[in-house]
Amino acid sequence: MDRIGDEIRLVGEVFSREKDADDIASYLESQIDEIRSRTKDVPVEEKVRMMQLGLSPRAREGGGAGMAWGLDTIESYFIEDTANAKNAYEGTGAFVVVATGQILTMDPDVIVLPTAQGYHPASELYTAPYYQNLQELSAMKNGRVYALP
């Protein structure tokens, strides 16, 4: 993460779009700095348990409720090292199909809906009949489900 601005700027050079790349890199770096500064002093015992939950028809067709990202992924790095939270999914791998029971056992405080399987609004998790068994999750009860744009 500490080098992502350099990588964006390099891509900008390749495509002769240095100014655009610098604007994007600077914005991204400022947002990462803001997040880190706001969460750096959160004590271990107060870290929220966060889960990126991919709402995927493919996962449902395979008998799961969604997809998770494990401790060895960039998503977990964002959760644990950038946001100073705890990844609720402690397994490994990306796009790991997880069952309703697994998600209920993890009981994340916050759920973020990524867009790897397309955009899914938070309302889908709250209202879709195929997610009715997840309504008891702490994140659901506390209104802490967020969709990435």
Side-chain angles (χ1 to χ4, degrees), residues 48-55 65-69 79 85-89 98 100 102-104 106-114 120-126 131 133-148:
V48 297
R49 290 173 304 101
M50 182 184 294
M51 178 180 192
Q52 284 215 20
L53 178 61
L55 304 185
M67 295 181 172
W69 283 260
I79 291 169
K86 174 84 175 116
N87 190 348
Y89 180 69
V98 289
T100 298
Q102 288 175 283
I103 299 169
L104 290 169
M106 287 181 260
D107 193 25
D109 302 309
V110 175
I111 295 174
V112 175
L113 306 176
H120 294 270
S123 61
E124 182 177 354
L125 199 57
Y126 289 111
Y131 292 122
N133 294 333
L134 296 178
Q135 300 307 305
E136 293 303 310
L137 291 172
S138 295
M140 301 285 282
K141 287 181 177 181
N142 295 318
R144 298 189 75 189
V145 177
Y146 306 98
L148 294 179

Side-chain angles (χ1 to χ4, degrees), residues 1 4-5 8 23-33:
M1 278 301 299
I4 195 147
I8 292 169
D23 289 348
I24 292 168
S26 295
Y27 175 75
L28 182 59
E29 290 164 344
S30 73
Q31 295 304 297
I32 291 168
D33 289 345

Side-chain angles (χ1 to χ4, degrees), residues 8-61:
I8 292 169
R9 289 177 180 95
L10 180 61
V11 171
E13 285 180 39
V14 169
F15 291 100
S16 299
R17 305 273 311 260
E18 291 89 346
K19 171 77 170 94
D20 293 334
D22 187 58
D23 289 348
I24 292 168
S26 295
Y27 175 75
L28 182 59
E29 290 164 344
S30 73
Q31 295 304 297
I32 291 168
D33 289 345
E34 173 72 14
I35 292 166
R36 284 182 172 157
S37 72
R38 291 177 64 182
T39 62
K40 69 180 178 184
D41 295 325
V42 174
V44 172
E45 64 275 4
E46 292 180 25
K47 289 184 179 187
V48 297
R49 290 173 304 101
M50 182 184 294
M51 178 180 192
Q52 284 215 20
L53 178 61
L55 304 185
S56 165
R58 193 178 76 203
R60 290 193 311 276
E61 290 166 6

